[in-house]
Amino acid sequence: MGNGVQQHQATPLTQGEVLPQPSDSQAEGLKPQTRSVVNSLLSGALAGALAKTAVAPLDRTKIIFQGRQQHFSHEAYRLIYRTYLKDGFLSLWRGNSATMVRVIPYAAIQFCAHEQYKRLLGGYFGFQGKALPPVPRLLAGSMAGTTAAMLTYPLDMVRARMAVTPKEMYSNIIHVFVRISREEGLKTLYRGFTPTILGVVPYAGLSFFTYETLKKMHAERSGRPQPYSYERLVFGACAGLLGQSASYPLDVVRRRMQTAGVTGHTYGTILGTMRDIVAEEGVVRGLYKGLSMNWVKGPIAVGISFTTFDMTQILLKKLYQLRYNNR
């Protein structure tokens, strides 16, 4: 009997014979993780698109004022109204197509990266499947924002240029890339990259940290594992308020450096740009120009973004479970 088994094992494969395929249970091993990544990418893309579109007129106005020496006040809201009268309602969303080209991949990468960093840090610190402690929670958000910013920065540069220039200067996104590359050099596409990364670290870190912390505190005190949609909006608004306030001066520096080629200024370094802004406009009116508008649009955008991501994730999981149960 033993010889028979040995002979059976030694029998070579005949021509056309294939090795047995793994069972369905074996094949399912990689699917949950892959599905999680795809769901995060889709949910993040939708979240970013909805959030940015909702605040596009305010965002465009903020970029225009950040690139000027003019004082930011109620004049910003007058600018929105004058733009509407002169160019029509849809002109308030000028540059939004470039924003979507950047925001959709940026938000998709950021939210997906955040989920993956949470999983990796949770495994490293022994909190797999549980809420992370404060420091890893902050680190996961910062790493996610940095990853997304590094991969999509040239699109942010293009968006800023389209927002501060007349329609005649740049006809579309491709035209911006071509003109900048030809007239100012390819490295111009990364002008302002350093302040962007330095600003993203506290912004993304504090935003995700605040949102995740508020959800954790809510679950502990209410006994409900999931907050209602309006509660998510409030948590996201608080996250956006803290994150944007902490990183705002670097956001102003980034915009000045990005739009220097069309505003007649020459900004070389972060410290040099900050020094020029403070010397010409002062600390508050220079480095915090547009912050009041950011306190309006930031909480709205971040609240919509986090809420949309969470609700889309829940919806996709329910759809998968429904399809699985109907098999």
Side-chain angles (χ1 to χ4, degrees):
M1 184 174 178
N3 292 337
V5 172
Q6 291 175 356
Q7 289 175 358
H8 175 71
Q9 290 176 337
T11 303
L13 293 173
T14 59
Q15 187 174 4
E17 188 178 359
V18 295
L19 289 170
Q21 296 297 317
S23 64
D24 290 341
S25 60
Q26 291 174 309
E28 288 288 331
L30 293 175
K31 285 189 177 180
Q33 181 59 28
T34 303
R35 187 171 63 250
S36 174
V37 170
V38 172
N39 286 355
S40 297
L41 288 171
L42 291 174
S43 302
L46 180 61
L50 287 178
K52 277 296 185 180
T53 300
V55 298
L58 295 174
D59 205 28
R60 179 172 182 259
T61 304
K62 184 202 73 171
I63 292 173
I64 291 172
F65 271 84
Q66 282 181 331
R68 297 178 178 178
Q69 294 182 3
Q70 183 179 354
H71 293 325
F72 187 94
S73 61
H74 59 277
E75 182 65 25
Y77 300 98
R78 288 183 181 177
L79 175 63
I80 295 175
Y81 183 63
R82 287 199 301 268
T83 302
Y84 161 70
L85 292 178
K86 180 183 177 182
D87 300 320
F89 181 71
L90 292 180
S91 67
L92 297 174
W93 276 265
R94 169 163 163 71
N96 196 51
S97 59
T99 300
M100 290 300 101
V101 171
R102 168 193 169 263
V103 161
I104 288 175
Y106 179 90
I109 293 169
Q110 180 175 240
F111 278 106
C112 181
H114 183 246
E115 294 298 305
Q116 298 307 307
Y117 285 136
K118 281 200 303 182
R119 183 178 61 83
L120 291 172
L121 291 171
Y124 181 80
F125 287 100
F127 288 87
Q128 191 72 48
K130 302 176 183 177
L132 290 173
V135 173
R137 199 181 310 155
L138 183 67
L139 187 59
S142 296
M143 291 168 65
T146 302
T147 301
M150 289 176 66
L151 295 176
T152 62
Y153 185 77
L155 295 171
D156 185 47
M157 173 71 171
V158 168
R159 192 269 294 234
R161 283 295 181 93
M162 290 191 74
V164 301
T165 54
K167 291 185 287 186
E168 297 77 20
M169 187 166 185
Y170 298 119
S171 56
N172 54 50
I173 299 169
I174 303 299
H175 189 207
V176 183
F177 274 110
V178 171
R179 282 198 62 174
I180 290 177
S181 301
R182 184 186 302 156
E183 298 174 7
E184 302 174 52
L186 281 174
K187 68 178 182 180
T188 303
L189 292 171
Y190 281 89
R191 181 182 291 161
F193 178 74
T194 303
T196 296
I197 296 301
L198 292 176
V200 158
V201 169
Y203 170 68
L206 282 173
S207 295
F208 279 107
F209 172 82
T210 303
Y211 185 69
E212 294 286 328
T213 300
L214 290 174
K215 284 203 303 181
K216 181 175 180 291
M217 292 172 60
H218 171 273
E220 291 171 351
R221 296 189 180 187
S222 69
R224 287 186 283 115
Q226 296 293 341
Y228 297 128
S229 298
Y230 69 86
E231 292 171 327
R232 294 180 193 273
L233 282 169
V234 173
F235 298 161
C238 293
L241 193 63
L242 287 175
Q244 295 199 347
S245 297
S247 61
Y248 197 78
L250 286 167
D251 190 44
V252 173
V253 171
R254 169 177 63 128
R255 292 302 181 201
R256 290 294 179 92
M257 294 179 75
Q258 286 178 335
T259 58
V262 293
T263 58
H265 288 83
T266 54
Y267 296 118
T269 65
I270 298 173
L271 291 177
T273 303
M274 295 182 82
R275 186 172 56 247
D276 290 346
I277 293 172
V278 171
E280 295 172 4
E281 304 165 57
V283 176
V284 176
R285 289 187 172 181
L287 294 177
Y288 289 91
K289 179 180 290 183
L291 181 59
S292 60
M293 180 171 284
N294 242 38
W295 282 342
V296 175
K297 82 172 190 67
I300 295 172
V302 179
I304 292 173
S305 181
F306 278 128
T307 303
T308 302
F309 176 80
D310 280 355
M311 300 308 292
T312 306
Q313 284 278 81
I314 292 170
L315 176 62
L316 290 174
K317 288 177 182 177
K318 286 183 177 178
L319 289 175
Y320 174 78
Q321 290 173 353
L322 184 62
R323 189 182 68 175
Y324 183 80
N325 292 334
N326 289 335
R327 285 179 180 177

